[in-house]
Amino acid sequence: MELNITCIPGDGIGPEIVAEAKKVLDAVAVKYGHTMNFTDVLMGGASIDAYGKPLTDETIETAKGADAVLMGSIGGDTTTSPWYKLPPNLRPEAGLLGIRKALNLFANLRPAVLYEELAEACPLKKEISAAGFDMLIMRELTGGLYFGERKTVEENGIRKAIDTLTYDENEIRRIAIKGFDIAMKRKKKVTSVDKANVLDSSRLWRSVVEEVAKDYPEVTLEHMLVDNCAMQLVKDPAQFDVILTENMFGDILSDEASMVTGSIGMLASASLNDSKFGLYEPSHGSAPDIAGKDIANPIATILSASMMLRYSFDLDKEADAIDNAVKQVLKEGYRTIDIMSEGCKQVGCKQMGDLLAQKIV
Ligand code: NAD
């Protein structure tokens, strides 16, 4: 298969971690007989330095012409970098918002996996973390409270702020279909999270999700109220497979789920549109404090590349090979500095990439 991938190395540690992800993808290409064509483009601070703006039309067009986009991270030190003296629409993050919009990415996926070998980093009690967990939060990204009409008015001398939460059934249906499709590739369970005891938008959400579920008889669907879900994530995270939820609930719950893994350098993510196209990137930022030192953990980006193979190309075997390589390297005791613990062998970013590429056999 020929895979055309646009790469956005970005800023800070971005170029280092994307280089290691390419190394692992090249190993997958050799092993499984694929051709991977990588085209690098600039975005964020690197684009500001070269072109005076964080996102160019050329970057958008190159990304649109590809089968998928693999990104490192963008942005610099927000207190010292000259990029943050620019107006907000010219700062690095504006590039990220711009490309998400241009590519119509409405579904955000964030896996939260607790690896046995990293269980010590998990802030939960041992009896809970011992069960491990492997969940994926599917968050609607372009609707709901963050995109509804808002205003601040003054009535009788009292200031009043109004935000509106709107979803139509088509917006709910398309994210629900994504959630069920992805559950079919996993443990076939969807927990749809809402606040249907209070909100009309949640009652519509629940009823559309139930309609979509009829097309997926193999998938078990359960509904959970968002306040209960927030508790269950710390009480019994092993119960979850795919958590399907709207924008604001997903924003909060995905950060909570990330924190219970305890390892920022291990967290992958993806944003998808309604075709197979997606933008894949680690959940962490550009870590300017450690850039250029060859100590960044490339695993979150490499796991994002694995998600790209699974969700944009349906190359499940190849994605499994990467996921298993990560487990194997952790089992053998290799760690980058951020996940280092006593008795393990500390390696740099490049060496971690080499080790993972070697395990693709
Ligand atoms: P950060 O995630 O970059 O860093 C937080 C801490 O985690 C730092 O100590 C960093 O060294 C460490 N860290 C992060 N990733 C790591 C890795 N792979 N290996 C080892 N250690 C790692 O968050 P921040 O410092 O708040 O933000 C830095 C810049 O990144 C800012 O400009 C911010 O706007 C940007 N950012 C970009 C994205 C994105 O591109 N999607 C996301 C978040 C933050």
Side-chain angles (χ1 to χ4, degrees):
M1 186 172 180
E2 185 165 357
L3 290 69
N4 294 309
I5 300 160
T6 293
C7 292
I8 304 175
D11 308 315
I13 60 170
E16 298 167 57
I17 54 183
V18 168
E20 299 317 304
K22 283 182 183 170
K23 195 185 275 176
V24 173
L25 285 170
D26 279 334
V28 169
V30 169
K31 160 81 178 143
Y32 293 92
H34 302 298
T35 305
M36 307 231 186
N37 304 317
F38 299 114
T39 308
D40 283 7
V41 291
L42 299 181
M43 203 176 90
S47 176
I48 297 172
D49 290 346
Y51 308 115
K53 51 182 174 178
L55 178 64
T56 60
D57 292 345
E58 193 195 346
T59 289
I60 294 174
E61 287 316 309
T62 309
K64 278 187 176 167
D67 301 317
V69 178
L70 179 66
M71 196 176 109
S73 189
I74 52 112
D77 184 321
T78 50
T79 49
T80 59
S81 165
W83 298 329
Y84 296 92
K85 298 202 165 57
L86 295 167
N89 63 330
L90 289 178
R91 290 181 193 172
E93 286 69 18
L96 190 56
L97 296 178
I99 200 159
R100 283 186 181 148
K101 193 163 177 226
L103 300 176
N104 195 22
L105 304 171
F106 67 85
N108 181 250
L109 275 69
R110 275 174 62 176
V113 181
L114 183 64
Y115 293 91
E116 212 183 308
E117 293 76 14
L118 302 181
E120 266 179 39
C122 174
L124 302 178
K125 281 187 196 159
K126 271 210 169 64
E127 56 264 37
I128 299 173
S129 63
F133 54 83
D134 179 354
M135 72 181 94
L136 191 147
I137 307 220
M138 164 78 79
R139 163 190 172 195
E140 203 287 329
L141 207 54
T142 58
L145 202 56
Y146 297 171
F147 290 89
E149 275 176 41
R150 70 187 82 251
K151 62 181 172 183
T152 304
V153 293
E154 198 167 309
E155 283 173 7
N156 305 323
I158 309 279
R159 282 174 302 153
K160 180 167 143 184
I162 301 158
D163 294 291
T164 50
L165 200 180
T166 312
Y167 271 108
D168 72 37
E169 58 179 309
N170 293 331
E171 290 172 299
I172 301 169
R173 190 168 293 109
R174 66 179 185 173
I175 184 90
I177 290 171
K178 283 268 175 230
F180 280 89
D181 280 346
I182 279 167
M184 286 296 289
K185 283 179 176 273
R186 296 174 47 96
K187 288 173 272 171
K188 299 190 171 69
K189 180 177 173 190
V190 169
T191 305
S192 175
V193 173
D194 60 36
K195 188 73 182 167
N197 53 342
V198 179
L199 301 174
D200 261 17
S201 56
S202 282
R203 286 190 272 271
L204 180 65
W205 180 279
R206 206 175 263 219
S207 96
V208 175
V209 168
E210 277 174 5
E211 283 165 31
V212 171
K214 289 185 186 135
D215 293 331
Y216 298 84
E218 287 175 60
V219 177
T220 305
L221 168 67
E222 67 175 16
H223 299 285
M224 191 177 279
L225 295 175
V226 61
D227 38 354
N228 186 23
C229 184
M231 288 191 288
Q232 294 299 326
L233 277 173
V234 291
K235 195 169 159 235
D236 179 17
Q239 70 183 285
F240 295 111
D241 179 21
V242 174
I243 292 180
L244 170 67
T245 192
E246 61 93 57
N247 201 346
M248 184 179 65
F249 297 160
D251 186 11
I252 298 165
L253 294 176
S254 59
D255 270 5
E256 185 187 356
S258 303
M259 279 318 296
V260 293
T261 70
S263 323
I264 192 170
M266 303 289 296
L267 298 165
S269 88
S271 302
L272 309 178
N273 71 12
D274 49 14
S275 68
K276 286 273 173 194
F277 185 90
L279 183 147
Y280 298 84
E281 58 174 323
S283 293
H284 59 72
S286 59
D289 52 332
I290 57 165
K293 296 183 178 163
D294 190 32
I295 57 170
N297 185 349
I299 295 180
T301 315
I302 290 166
L303 290 172
S304 304
S306 158
M307 291 178 81
M308 176 180 77
L309 297 179
R310 198 182 299 283
Y311 298 124
S312 282
F313 299 104
D314 281 321
L315 296 174
D316 289 15
K317 229 180 337 115
E318 290 80 343
D320 287 345
I322 296 182
D323 296 355
N324 290 335
V326 170
K327 285 182 195 143
Q328 193 57 34
V329 161
L330 292 178
K331 198 168 277 170
E332 289 173 11
Y334 296 103
R335 304 280 190 273
T336 44
I337 193 165
D338 56 310
I339 51 172
M340 185 61 190
S341 60
E342 225 184 300
C344 292
K345 292 161 258 187
Q346 191 173 318
V347 296
C349 181
K350 284 190 187 133
Q351 200 184 342
M352 181 55 91
D354 288 340
L355 286 162
L356 290 167
Q358 283 158 19
K359 294 276 181 247
I360 309 289
V361 284

